Amino acid sequence: MSKDSLNKNIDISVDFAGLRLKNPVLTASGTCGYADELSDFFDVSGLGGFITKSITLQPRAGNPTPRVVETDSGMLNAIGLANIGLERFIAEKLPIIRELSTAVFVNVAGKSIEEYVAVIGKLAQDDGIAGFELNISCPNVKEGGITFGTDPAQVTKITKAAKDVAAGKPLVVKLTPAVTDITVTAQAAVDGGADALSLINTFTAMAINIETQKPILANRTGGLSGPAIKPIAVYLVNKVYNEVAGPAGVPIMGLGGIRNASDAIEFLLAGATTVAVGTASFAQPQTAMRVVEGIRQYCQRRKIAKVEDLIGHLQ
Amino acid sequence: MEKNQSVTKGIFTAEVVANTVVRDCFRRISLVLDADGSSAFAEAMPGQFAELDMCGAALPVGSAIPKELADCASRQIILRRPFSFADITVKGGSQIELTILYHVLGPATVRMTTLQAGDRLSVIGPLGNGFSLPRSKKTALLVAGGMGSPPLEHLSRFLRDTQPNLDVQFFAGARTLENFPFRANTNAGVSVSEFSHLQGKIHLATDDGSAGFTGFVTDHVAKWLKDNAPVTDDTIIYACGPEPMLAGIAKLAGDKKIDCEVSMERMMACGIGLCQSCAVKATSAGDSVYKLCCKDGPVFDSEDVVFE
């Protein structure tokens, strides 16, 4: 059998929150803009899915600079949810997004449940949007964000409120690792009707300039991402898969430090149905497409007919 | 305004031609781009930049790492680093050679020192907006603070080729003579080999008076403007350097009603508009907004930037 014909026989599509995705690889919110930026480097339609930068009801300017700093095998960011706001998103970015033949999830953030509901309600009828990701785990804003994501009762409440206005579109709830037991917030999201869970968001962290004796980031703290957090992310995905998501039949999108197919396959084996590439896209914009190809090659080498057979296959 | 942006950005492979010491921790590296990269960079303008991937480059062995960088050198890097160009030249008809002047001061640039002729690295570019061309001007003042000289070196060579009749004056400031990122001969007048093509004069300023004017480069420019009184409408200032110096130049230009462009610097994770980290506070139609250094800059009209 030739290499090409074997490739065609490997099914790398996955069922995720009621959608059939062409492959399990997405790009993570806040690391891939609104798709037009990445389109300079590859055809975004080759992705399993695409998650927009967070959208809030009103535009947000974001935090003062420095907003990022590289750390050992990682980076801190404190962008502060800088975004163009719902109105300009609809006018300027939705027309571009509608042209993509990949599943586009709009990541939604807000200061109050009413804001989340307003944004999702306004976008829910749009055919160009496959679903929503609820950002209740941003560590870099004073109100909303992570304050919702650490309180199980709030997680259930906001998930339910968002689900009610999502017009049947799948709702992914993005979890923070900054809790004592992530299975509690995962269960809270499932109880609220989440169609999928994405984990993990960044860890709140700090880097200090020892000459000025001040934090490097203007926001003082930022979210740690990149390869430094990957082993923790794999562990937490496995824990949530075993204790909450697996039994409830709710799929997981795994993310945290993925920069190649090997990293992605670890997440699939740990229990993730899909993976998202984040920080790695900054240095290598085409990383996500390389991950897709690497997963295909792994399946071929291991004689795995369906990528779905890998999910939670940890021995 | 003249076109100042090359739009065909992409990810390309470049081969190292030379990597040499200028002085102390200042080095110059020359890279020849592959065929696709050469066509993308053929129209690149002074002030634009590229993101270089040094993640795979080796650290120098043990004692070859400068002592003051030993701690940070051990850090595993994951991001590219942005560099403007000291020059872009055409080799053998269509191959584009980028020359980058760099200052060895962290884990990426210390790795950069080990790159040798024949090594290959990944380059994303050309990125951002460069300087606009002073078609209607008679005098251009190029003002560099510290490590700000590379894009102005590129600009000065570009202006010699495109506007040979333009009076170009180059001002450079540093704390002391040893801190200039080039070797200056200060015996009979000032000469700098990198700026030997310059038809105008080279003016150095040092905080400690070890070369040229004693004081800040901004004060040196102010004095020159007072002494020479060029027609303001016929004059433009291009500046690159530390932000307090750019703020000083912007204020001077504003007071004198002289057009001025400044090249800004920010910490960037990507350089291609994905991360939103390189915000520059600016005014737009009277409102205060954040612009992106990577996409809206790095060169800005000095009147648009809100210096803090």
Side-chain angles (χ1 to χ4, degrees):
Chain A
M1 190 184 281
S2 78
K3 193 180 158 193
D4 282 352
S5 60
L6 184 61
N7 269 345
K8 277 181 200 132
N9 290 335
I10 297 169
D11 181 7
I12 61 166
S13 67
V14 291
D15 259 329
F16 180 75
L19 302 170
R20 192 76 196 167
L21 305 186
K22 62 181 85 169
N23 63 63
V25 184
L26 297 88
T27 48
S29 179
T31 62
C32 49
Y34 301 108
D36 44 340
E37 297 90 346
L38 268 186
S39 299
D40 289 329
F41 298 93
F42 68 90
D43 180 6
V44 176
S45 291
L47 292 168
F50 178 91
I51 308 171
T52 69
K53 179 155 185 59
S54 286
I55 297 296
T56 52
L57 190 57
Q58 302 299 332
R60 288 180 59 96
N63 289 328
T65 56
R67 292 176 173 184
V68 286
V69 59
E70 190 186 54
T71 56
D72 215 325
S73 293
M75 62 173 273
L76 306 185
N77 87 79
I79 307 301
L81 297 180
N83 80 93
I84 58 177
L86 179 62
E87 203 174 304
R88 275 185 63 199
F89 173 75
I90 291 170
E92 296 168 25
K93 302 299 181 182
L94 257 185
I96 302 167
I97 284 169
R98 287 193 194 108
E99 297 300 311
L100 302 174
S101 62
T102 188
V104 177
F105 291 83
V106 175
N107 182 292
V108 181
K111 285 189 289 227
S112 65
I113 291 182
E114 291 70 30
E115 276 187 47
Y116 284 88
V117 165
V119 173
I120 294 171
K122 184 94 181 185
L123 296 172
Q125 303 298 334
D126 197 290
D127 289 340
I129 296 169
F132 298 96
E133 184 178 55
L134 219 50
N135 181 355
I136 52 167
S137 42
C138 177
N140 300 321
V141 291
K142 286 194 179 65
E143 304 166 275
I146 204 165
T147 54
F148 287 115
T150 50
D151 177 349
Q154 286 288 325
V155 172
T156 302
K157 198 173 163 192
I158 196 167
T159 304
K160 203 173 227 158
K163 190 67 195 160
D164 280 347
V165 291
K169 285 200 160 86
L171 183 70
V172 185
V173 177
K174 189 166 185 176
L175 302 177
T176 174
V179 287
T180 311
D181 184 352
I182 197 169
T183 62
V184 174
T185 41
Q187 186 63 53
V190 169
D191 291 345
D195 298 291
L197 304 172
S198 56
L199 59 149
I200 53 176
N201 206 323
T202 57
F203 288 87
T204 305
M206 184 186 277
I208 295 170
N209 178 332
I210 62 167
E211 300 309 322
T212 63
Q213 304 188 342
K214 290 177 181 169
I216 294 174
L217 297 179
N219 190 52
R220 299 182 74 84
T221 60
L224 175 64
S225 65
I229 70 168
K230 197 200 79 185
I232 313 177
V234 171
Y235 161 67
L236 293 175
V237 163
N238 188 237
K239 187 175 168 71
V240 169
Y241 176 73
N242 287 335
E243 297 177 28
V244 178
V250 171
I252 295 173
M253 184 193 309
L255 74 159
I258 295 173
R259 52 176 170 179
N260 51 46
S262 303
D263 294 339
I265 292 161
E266 278 194 56
F267 277 92
L268 298 178
L269 291 170
T273 298
T274 57
V275 294
V277 175
T279 300
S281 298
F282 292 153
Q284 309 294 346
Q286 72 292 52
T287 300
M289 290 314 299
R290 285 191 185 161
V291 171
V292 173
E293 196 43 42
I295 290 174
R296 193 195 298 275
Q297 285 167 8
Y298 174 84
C299 290
Q300 186 173 342
R301 178 165 62 78
R302 303 277 307 198
K303 300 195 168 34
I304 295 161
K306 283 166 59 188
V307 77
E308 286 183 323
D309 292 342
L310 287 172
I311 299 166
H313 199 64
L314 186 64
Q315 302 296 300
Chain B
M1 193 188 281
E2 291 278 331
K3 175 174 170 290
N4 59 357
Q5 182 186 30
S6 167
V7 290
T8 51
K9 68 168 173 271
I11 183 162
F12 309 107
T13 301
E15 186 175 313
V16 177
V17 178
N19 188 6
T20 56
V21 178
V22 176
R23 72 186 309 163
D24 308 318
C25 49
F26 299 108
R27 289 173 169 252
R28 289 172 84 90
I29 190 168
S30 306
L31 310 163
V32 168
L33 286 155
D34 61 15
D36 289 347
S38 289
S39 53
F41 278 78
E43 302 284 314
M45 292 291 290
Q48 286 195 278
F49 69 103
E51 286 273 357
L52 268 51
D53 183 0
M54 250 86 69
C55 297
L59 276 174
V61 176
S63 60
I65 298 175
K67 203 174 161 196
E68 65 277 16
L69 296 180
D71 289 359
C72 77
S74 64
R75 185 151 60 73
Q76 193 62 46
I77 62 171
I78 61 161
L79 300 172
R80 288 170 184 260
R81 295 295 188 273
F83 294 93
S84 61
F85 315 112
D87 208 354
I88 298 180
T89 50
V90 184
K91 298 269 147 153
S94 61
Q95 270 196 320
I96 296 287
E97 183 173 305
L98 308 175
T99 301
I100 288 164
L101 171 58
Y102 66 102
H103 184 189
V104 182
L105 45 57
T109 43
V110 80
R111 283 171 167 81
M112 205 165 167
T113 61
T114 66
L115 293 171
Q116 296 178 348
D119 286 346
R120 285 158 187 267
L121 72 160
S122 167
V123 175
I124 292 180
L127 299 170
N129 297 298
F131 297 106
S132 62
L133 295 180
R135 290 292 188 208
S136 61
K137 306 293 182 186
K138 295 192 173 114
T139 303
L141 308 186
L142 279 48
V143 186
M147 260 308 281
S149 73
L152 299 174
E153 181 186 333
H154 186 196
L155 178 64
S156 69
R157 211 264 311 140
F158 198 88
L159 292 176
R160 179 208 59 191
D161 294 347
T162 54
Q163 287 177 254
N165 296 323
L166 188 73
D167 175 23
V168 180
Q169 303 284 329
F170 177 65
F171 294 81
R175 254 169 283 175
T176 185
L177 178 62
E178 279 73 41
N179 288 151
F180 286 109
F182 45 75
R183 286 186 176 277
N185 184 339
T186 53
N187 288 332
V190 182
S191 66
V192 175
S193 63
E194 290 88 334
F195 289 88
S196 56
H197 55 267
L198 203 71
Q199 286 161 337
K201 275 182 72 177
I202 295 172
H203 311 264
L204 300 185
T206 50
D207 298 0
D208 66 357
S210 53
F213 178 88
T214 303
F216 292 141
V217 67
T218 41
D219 297 328
H220 197 190
V221 173
K223 181 176 184 303
W224 189 93
L225 286 171
K226 197 172 167 216
D227 293 348
N228 292 275
V231 177
T232 54
D233 284 352
D234 293 344
T235 306
I236 185 165
I237 299 175
Y238 299 103
C240 183
E243 200 147 323
M245 170 229 147
L246 295 181
I249 287 290
K251 180 165 190 319
L252 178 67
D255 290 348
K256 301 263 183 197
K257 304 213 175 345
I258 294 173
D259 287 345
C260 177
E261 294 185 357
V262 291
S263 178
M264 304 288 289
E265 186 172 42
R266 285 290 180 274
M267 293 223 254
M268 294 177 182
C270 70
I272 51 178
L274 298 175
C275 72
Q276 306 279 313
S277 58
C278 59
V280 172
K281 198 174 253 188
T283 47
S284 176
D287 292 334
S288 174
V289 296
Y290 277 126
K291 294 193 170 180
L292 292 184
C293 195
C294 73
K295 283 181 87 169
D296 304 312
V299 175
F300 292 89
D301 189 323
S302 67
E303 285 191 332
D304 294 343
V305 178
V306 179
F307 291 98
E308 292 173 293

